[in-house]
Amino acid sequence: MKTIFNAVVLVFLLGSCTSKTARITSHSDYNQYLIIKDNQSAAFAQREIDFWQAKYDKAPNQTSYLSQLATHYAKLFECTGQVKYLYKVEALLLQANKEYHEEAVGPLRSLGRNYISQHRFKEALVLANKALAIGEGIKETQKLLFDVNMELGNYKQAEHNLICITAKDDFDYLIRISKWNDHLGDLKMAITFMEKAKKVAEINDNKSLKIWTYSNLGDLNGHAGNMQASYHYYLKTLAVDPNNSYGLKGIAWIVFSHEKDTKEATRIIDIIAEKHQSPDFYLLKAQMAAFANNKIVQEANESAYFKMLHTIHYGAMYNKYNALIYADDKNTAHQALEIAKVEIDHRPTPDSYDLMAWAYYNLGEYKKALDIEQKYVVGQSFEPKLQFHLATIYKANNMMDKVAPLKEELLKSSFELGPNLEKKIRQL
């Protein structure tokens, strides 16, 4: 991914906004992961693809080889961020399911997971139910059903799916009960269960499971305001997978949100973006530019973000981000509203309804925004960004008695929300 900045603009951003906040990160901790040129995980995935493709070419009647290829293309997508590999996985699994006459639960579930990654949740649910009807490997199918129903906002059904897979020491159960508690707003329990999952991963010395738990513990501890633990777990993630872009991005967020060092955070993001293709990086740099009060750089990054979306087909994967960007400008808030309607059709979650409410708020329709929040968001989601929107809409409707307690809680989530929203929270 190439930067669109000219030298003058870049120097402006890199030199801005370093605060006196106590630093918890250190260049010496993570620089070693920024200078790595080769991605061993991606190289291994490519070798496996070459191996299985050669076998399939010699024996195209061996449908199981298609699933092997799909597994390694999925890994390649994870390593590089290139969405073409995600679509390759879909094509392989569609072929496998066709050859199996949709009677093999493994390929059905795998395609369902692929559709989740593509934000095609309703299609994923259809596949999960087909696998459930076959009746083989029911617990594995219940795990997929939990994941899909959480994405669709079918929380009662998701809870039922979770009960069906209850197993005290099962890794897959532990990470899902962690997610469930996070959804309920019990962050402490979410961390407790993720730590139990971490122990299972470490006892089994499973690389991929360790990466999963360490990176998630990095996120969860950050949300809890424990930056030191968050940083520690992102470093542990990188120790297992030196090319892990998620771990590096987590460190960049700490550098920006906690330490207010846009120069260093930008340096980290620029290096990651050279290796991992994702529009997210432009949005993060746009946030940093906004914090630096550099409207030119902010708009340049947002333009680069949308250019990337127009150049590469991402389907519905970035609808939420697009809606939030459009909603913040009254000239484009109508576009945000249209996207929100699509999202509600795709996944009628509190998050999707909040997008609609936020669009109406930015269009000046405060009462309509309040009605949506009260019906679909209040008491159904505890996500800080949704709570910020709710508090803002309460204020617009002169309900200041409801703003104060939300403001107090939001200030505790200022690291997760970032410096730009922290300023707005203090103004509530």
Side-chain angles (χ1 to χ4, degrees):
M1 189 187 301
K2 293 183 179 179
T3 181
I4 64 168
F5 305 124
N6 59 45
V8 174
V9 171
L10 182 59
V11 167
F12 181 93
L13 178 58
L14 293 180
S16 65
C17 286
T18 302
S19 87
K20 296 180 181 179
T21 303
R23 183 174 290 276
I24 62 171
T25 66
S26 172
H27 294 193
S28 60
D29 291 335
Y30 57 79
N31 265 347
Q32 58 185 309
Y33 306 116
L34 294 172
I35 61 175
I36 296 171
K37 299 298 180 184
D38 299 325
N39 190 323
Q40 292 185 4
S41 296
F44 175 77
Q46 187 61 62
R47 287 195 300 272
E48 288 295 298
I49 288 168
D50 294 341
F51 172 78
W52 289 106
Q53 186 65 58
K55 287 179 72 70
Y56 182 71
D57 290 342
K58 291 179 181 178
N61 61 323
Q62 296 296 315
T63 305
S64 62
Y65 295 165
L66 294 172
S67 294
Q68 290 289 345
L69 282 166
T71 296
H72 296 294
Y73 272 112
K75 183 63 178 177
L76 208 52
F77 167 67
E78 181 186 325
C79 293
T80 67
Q82 294 188 43
V83 75
K84 65 181 181 181
Y85 296 128
L86 190 64
Y87 298 141
K88 180 65 175 178
V89 174
E90 178 190 2
L92 289 163
L93 291 172
L94 282 170
Q95 185 179 346
N97 278 299
K98 182 179 179 181
E99 294 183 15
Y100 283 128
H101 306 289
E102 294 195 340
E103 294 175 351
V105 293
L108 283 171
R109 288 195 297 252
S110 295
L111 185 57
R113 298 205 176 284
N114 177 272
Y115 284 163
I116 290 175
S117 297
Q118 293 188 48
H119 287 209
R120 295 163 61 180
F121 304 113
K122 288 185 175 179
E123 292 170 86
L125 182 60
V126 169
L127 291 168
N129 282 324
K130 281 184 179 180
L132 186 66
I134 293 170
E136 182 184 332
I138 289 179
K139 278 202 171 185
E140 291 302 312
T141 302
Q142 291 286 1
K143 293 171 187 177
L144 174 59
L145 281 164
F146 171 83
D147 297 340
V148 178
N149 281 313
M150 287 295 288
E151 295 289 354
L152 287 169
N154 300 332
Y155 299 125
K156 287 185 178 179
Q157 186 59 47
E159 185 177 20
H160 168 74
N161 300 136
L162 189 61
I163 292 169
C164 289
I165 62 172
T166 301
K168 185 178 179 182
D169 296 319
D170 180 76
F171 179 87
D172 290 341
Y173 169 71
L174 291 169
I175 63 173
R176 285 170 175 81
I177 189 103
S178 173
K179 183 174 182 176
W180 179 251
N181 277 276
D182 191 25
H183 159 70
L184 295 177
D186 192 340
L187 191 53
K188 185 176 179 180
M189 283 303 298
I191 292 172
T192 297
F193 281 114
M194 191 59 69
E195 286 175 340
K196 289 182 178 180
K198 178 199 73 169
K199 290 178 181 177
V200 173
E202 290 175 337
I203 289 170
N204 290 282
D205 195 24
N206 186 304
K207 179 180 176 180
S208 63
L209 300 189
K210 284 193 285 187
I211 292 168
W212 177 274
T213 53
Y214 294 159
S215 59
N216 273 275
L217 281 166
D219 288 348
L220 290 170
N221 278 284
H223 298 169
N226 190 345
M227 266 65 76
Q228 191 68 57
S230 178
Y231 180 55
H232 165 75
Y233 278 114
Y234 287 135
L235 287 175
K236 284 180 75 68
T237 303
L238 291 163
V240 179
D241 178 11
N243 287 108
N244 191 278
S245 63
Y246 196 86
L248 286 169
K249 185 180 178 183
I251 289 173
W253 183 257
I254 293 173
V255 173
F256 167 52
S257 186
H258 177 65
E259 298 172 351
K260 311 297 192 294
D261 186 347
T262 57
K263 176 181 177 180
E264 178 62 6
T266 300
R267 181 180 81 91
I268 297 169
I269 291 299
D270 280 339
I271 293 173
I272 307 170
E274 291 176 2
K275 308 173 186 179
H276 193 92
Q277 189 179 80
S278 174
D280 298 23
F281 299 132
Y282 285 121
L283 291 182
L284 181 49
K285 292 200 288 187
Q287 286 187 61
M288 291 191 283
F291 180 66
N293 294 313
N294 192 327
K295 190 72 173 176
I296 294 174
V297 175
Q298 179 186 352
E299 290 178 352
N301 273 286
E302 289 178 358
S303 294
Y305 163 78
F306 282 113
K307 182 179 179 180
M308 191 170 181
L309 292 191
H310 291 144
T311 304
I312 302 170
H313 175 65
Y314 285 97
M317 287 180 258
Y318 286 88
N319 277 1
K320 175 183 175 180
Y321 298 100
N322 296 346
L324 290 171
I325 293 170
Y326 288 140
D328 282 340
D329 184 340
K330 293 188 184 301
N331 295 319
T332 56
H334 282 290
Q335 290 173 260
L337 183 59
E338 292 307 310
I339 294 172
K341 291 176 181 177
V342 172
E343 280 296 281
I344 288 169
D345 181 59
H346 286 174
R347 53 193 307 199
T349 62
D351 207 301
S352 297
Y353 280 105
D354 175 74
L355 288 177
M356 177 177 278
W358 191 237
Y360 276 125
Y361 163 80
N362 282 283
L363 287 167
E365 298 192 43
Y366 302 146
K367 181 64 168 63
K368 188 173 287 188
L370 178 63
D371 289 344
I372 293 168
E373 290 282 348
Q374 290 180 324
K375 186 173 182 180
Y376 298 106
V377 179
V378 175
Q380 298 182 54
S381 174
F382 302 94
E383 286 294 320
K385 183 162 283 189
L386 273 64
Q387 297 299 295
F388 167 70
H389 290 166
L390 178 60
T392 306
I393 291 168
Y394 277 149
K395 183 178 179 180
N397 284 277
N398 298 312
M399 300 170 68
M400 297 307 296
D401 58 317
K402 291 185 175 294
V403 174
L406 283 175
K407 181 177 180 178
E408 183 179 349
E409 288 301 311
L410 285 166
L411 287 171
K412 296 176 184 177
S413 301
S414 58
F415 168 75
E416 180 181 350
L417 292 169
N420 299 320
L421 281 184
E422 182 181 357
K423 289 180 184 177
K424 294 179 180 180
I425 292 166
R426 295 189 183 280
Q427 295 167 0
L428 284 171

